[in-house]
Amino acid sequence: MAREKFEKTLSRILIWMPSLAITLFYVPNALDKLLDPHQTGKIVENSAVMTTAGIFILAGLVLFLYNRTLLIGTAMLVLYMTSIVVIHIYKGKPSEVVILILMATIFASYVRKPKMFG
């Protein structure tokens, strides 16, 4: 009985670990856009766009973390990261890390709800 409970708890922790890693990336990114919207060197240097992007990321993350809205949250985060990949490619910046974060977002969704993908 105790072993089954331990395995269930461990399984649940392992299932949520990719989502936690994703959260640790998106939260500082969104807060940076909200707290310092006058960033320079960005493709769009408009503070309203940066604030909107920060709110969009946080909203997507909240929806991503709630199981019933996982698909909507994943779609929002993937949409944001896909646009960042395009911007990185356009500016000639390395885009490999951004692509890995995009893939990790999809992977975290898949680990939590594999039936959604099949």
Side-chain angles (χ1 to χ4, degrees):
M1 182 75 166
R3 181 183 170 127
E4 289 176 14
K5 187 175 182 178
F6 172 75
E7 287 177 357
K8 185 176 181 181
T9 303
L10 183 62
S11 173
R12 191 162 246 175
I13 290 170
L14 291 174
I15 286 172
W16 276 91
M17 281 191 88
S19 295
L20 176 64
I22 293 299
T23 301
L24 291 176
F25 168 76
Y26 283 114
V27 167
N29 189 346
L31 291 178
D32 184 43
K33 290 181 183 352
L34 288 171
L35 299 176
D36 184 21
H38 303 290
Q39 298 176 17
T40 59
K42 302 290 182 181
I43 198 161
V44 177
E45 294 186 10
N46 187 337
S47 62
V49 172
M50 297 304 270
T51 303
T52 304
I55 292 169
F56 185 81
I57 295 167
L58 286 178
L61 189 60
V62 167
L63 293 172
F64 171 78
L65 292 173
Y66 186 59
N67 268 338
R68 290 187 181 202
T69 57
L70 177 66
L71 182 60
I72 297 166
T74 302
M76 288 174 71
L77 295 175
V78 165
L79 177 66
Y80 169 74
M81 287 310 289
T82 302
S83 65
I84 298 303
V85 168
V86 170
I87 290 169
H88 275 237
I89 291 171
Y90 173 76
K91 290 185 94 173
K93 289 182 166 182
S95 58
E96 292 82 6
V97 173
V98 182
I99 293 171
L100 286 175
I101 294 168
L102 174 67
M103 291 170 51
T105 304
I106 296 168
F107 174 75
S109 284
Y110 176 76
V111 167
R112 283 182 38 215
K113 237 182 188 176
K115 292 178 183 175
M116 184 172 70
F117 291 87

Coordinates of all heavy atoms in Angstrom, one line a residue, residues 12 15-16 19 61-74 108-109 111-114 116:
R12 N 3.5 11.4 -10.3 CA 2.9 12.7 -10.5 C 4.0 13.8 -10.5 O 3.9 14.7 -11.3 CB 1.9 12.9 -9.3 CG 1.1 14.1 -9.5 CD -0.1 14.1 -8.7 NE -1.2 13.9 -9.6 CZ -2.5 13.8 -9.2 NH1 -2.8 13.6 -8.0 NH2 -3.4 13.7 -10.1
I15 N 5.7 13.7 -13.8 CA 4.9 14.2 -14.9 C 4.9 15.7 -14.9 O 4.8 16.4 -16.0 CB 3.4 13.6 -14.8 CG1 3.4 12.2 -15.2 CG2 2.4 14.5 -15.5 CD1 2.1 11.4 -14.9
W16 N 4.9 16.3 -13.7 CA 4.8 17.8 -13.6 C 6.2 18.5 -13.8 O 6.3 19.7 -14.0 CB 4.2 18.2 -12.3 CG 2.7 18.2 -12.4 CD1 1.9 17.2 -12.2 CD2 1.9 19.3 -12.9 NE1 0.6 17.5 -12.4 CE2 0.6 18.8 -12.9 CE3 2.1 20.6 -13.3 CZ2 -0.5 19.6 -13.2 CZ3 1.1 21.4 -13.7 CH2 -0.2 20.9 -13.7
S19 N 6.7 20.7 -16.9 CA 5.9 21.9 -16.8 C 6.5 22.9 -15.9 O 6.4 24.1 -16.1 CB 4.5 21.5 -16.3 OG 3.8 20.7 -17.3
L61 N 0.5 30.9 -19.7 CA 1.1 30.0 -18.7 C 0.0 29.5 -17.7 O 0.0 28.4 -17.3 CB 2.2 30.7 -18.0 CG 3.1 29.9 -17.1 CD1 3.7 28.8 -17.9 CD2 4.1 30.8 -16.5
V62 N -0.8 30.4 -17.3 CA -1.9 30.1 -16.3 C -2.8 29.0 -17.0 O -3.1 28.0 -16.4 CB -2.7 31.3 -15.9 CG1 -4.0 30.9 -15.2 CG2 -1.8 32.2 -15.0
L63 N -3.2 29.2 -18.2 CA -4.0 28.2 -18.9 C -3.3 26.9 -19.1 O -3.9 25.9 -19.1 CB -4.5 28.8 -20.3 CG -5.4 30.0 -20.2 CD1 -5.7 30.6 -21.5 CD2 -6.7 29.6 -19.5
F64 N -2.0 27.0 -19.4 CA -1.1 25.8 -19.6 C -1.1 25.0 -18.3 O -1.1 23.8 -18.3 CB 0.3 26.3 -20.0 CG 1.3 25.2 -20.0 CD1 1.3 24.3 -21.1 CD2 2.2 25.1 -19.0 CE1 2.3 23.3 -21.1 CE2 3.2 24.1 -19.0 CZ 3.2 23.2 -20.1
L65 N -1.0 25.6 -17.1 CA -0.8 24.9 -15.9 C -2.2 24.3 -15.4 O -2.1 23.3 -14.6 CB -0.3 25.8 -14.8 CG 1.2 26.3 -15.0 CD1 1.6 27.3 -14.0 CD2 2.1 25.1 -15.0
Y66 N -3.3 24.8 -15.8 CA -4.6 24.3 -15.5 C -4.9 23.2 -16.5 O -5.0 23.4 -17.7 CB -5.6 25.4 -15.4 CG -7.0 25.0 -14.9 CD1 -7.1 24.5 -13.6 CD2 -8.1 25.1 -15.7 CE1 -8.3 24.1 -13.1 CE2 -9.4 24.7 -15.2 CZ -9.5 24.2 -13.9 OH -10.7 23.8 -13.5
N67 N -5.2 22.0 -15.9 CA -5.4 20.8 -16.8 C -6.5 21.0 -17.8 O -6.4 20.5 -19.0 CB -5.6 19.5 -16.0 CG -4.3 18.8 -15.8 OD1 -3.3 19.0 -16.5 ND2 -4.3 18.0 -14.7
R68 N -7.6 21.6 -17.4 CA -8.8 21.7 -18.3 C -8.5 22.6 -19.5 O -9.2 22.5 -20.5 CB -10.0 22.2 -17.6 CG -10.5 21.1 -16.7 CD -11.8 21.5 -16.1 NE -12.3 20.5 -15.2 CZ -13.5 20.3 -14.8 NH1 -14.4 21.1 -15.3 NH2 -13.8 19.3 -14.0
T69 N -7.6 23.6 -19.4 CA -7.3 24.5 -20.4 C -5.9 24.3 -21.0 O -5.3 25.2 -21.5 CB -7.5 26.0 -19.9 OG1 -6.6 26.2 -18.8 CG2 -8.9 26.2 -19.6
L70 N -5.3 23.1 -20.8 CA -4.0 22.8 -21.2 C -3.7 23.1 -22.7 O -2.7 23.7 -23.1 CB -3.6 21.4 -20.8 CG -2.2 20.9 -21.3 CD1 -1.1 21.6 -20.5 CD2 -2.1 19.4 -21.0
L71 N -4.7 22.7 -23.5 CA -4.6 22.9 -24.9 C -4.5 24.3 -25.3 O -3.7 24.7 -26.2 CB -5.7 22.1 -25.7 CG -5.7 22.2 -27.2 CD1 -4.4 21.5 -27.7 CD2 -6.9 21.5 -27.8
I72 N -5.4 25.1 -24.8 CA -5.4 26.6 -25.1 C -4.1 27.2 -24.6 O -3.5 28.0 -25.4 CB -6.6 27.3 -24.4 CG1 -7.9 26.7 -25.0 CG2 -6.6 28.8 -24.6 CD1 -9.1 27.0 -24.2
G73 N -3.7 26.9 -23.4 CA -2.4 27.5 -22.9 C -1.2 27.1 -23.7 O -0.3 27.9 -24.0
T74 N -1.2 25.8 -24.1 CA -0.1 25.3 -25.0 C -0.1 26.0 -26.3 O 1.0 26.5 -26.8 CB -0.2 23.8 -25.2 OG1 -0.2 23.1 -23.9 CG2 0.9 23.3 -26.0
A108 N 6.0 19.0 -22.6 CA 5.4 19.1 -21.3 C 3.9 18.8 -21.4 O 3.3 18.2 -20.5 CB 5.7 20.4 -20.7
S109 N 3.3 19.4 -22.4 CA 1.8 19.1 -22.6 C 1.5 17.7 -22.9 O 0.6 17.1 -22.3 CB 1.3 19.9 -23.8 OG 1.2 21.3 -23.5
V111 N 3.3 15.1 -22.0 CA 3.6 14.2 -20.8 C 2.4 14.3 -19.9 O 2.0 13.3 -19.3 CB 4.9 14.7 -20.1 CG1 5.0 14.1 -18.7 CG2 6.1 14.3 -20.9
R112 N 1.8 15.5 -19.7 CA 0.7 15.6 -18.8 C -0.6 15.1 -19.4 O -1.5 14.6 -18.6 CB 0.5 17.1 -18.5 CG 1.5 17.5 -17.5 CD 1.4 19.0 -17.0 NE 0.1 19.5 -16.8 CZ -0.2 20.7 -17.1 NH1 0.7 21.6 -17.6 NH2 -1.5 21.2 -17.0
K113 N -0.8 15.2 -20.7 CA -2.1 14.7 -21.3 C -1.9 14.1 -22.7 O -2.1 14.7 -23.7 CB -3.0 15.9 -21.5 CG -4.4 15.8 -20.8 CD -5.2 17.0 -21.0 CE -6.5 16.9 -20.2 NZ -7.3 18.1 -20.3
P114 N -1.3 12.9 -22.7 CA -1.0 12.3 -24.0 C -2.2 12.0 -24.8 O -2.1 12.0 -26.1 CB -0.3 11.0 -23.6 CG -0.5 10.8 -22.1 CD -0.9 12.1 -21.6
M116 N -4.6 13.9 -25.5 CA -4.9 15.1 -26.3 C -4.2 15.1 -27.6 O -4.7 15.7 -28.6 CB -4.4 16.4 -25.5 CG -4.7 17.7 -26.0 SD -4.3 19.0 -24.9 CE -2.5 19.0 -24.9

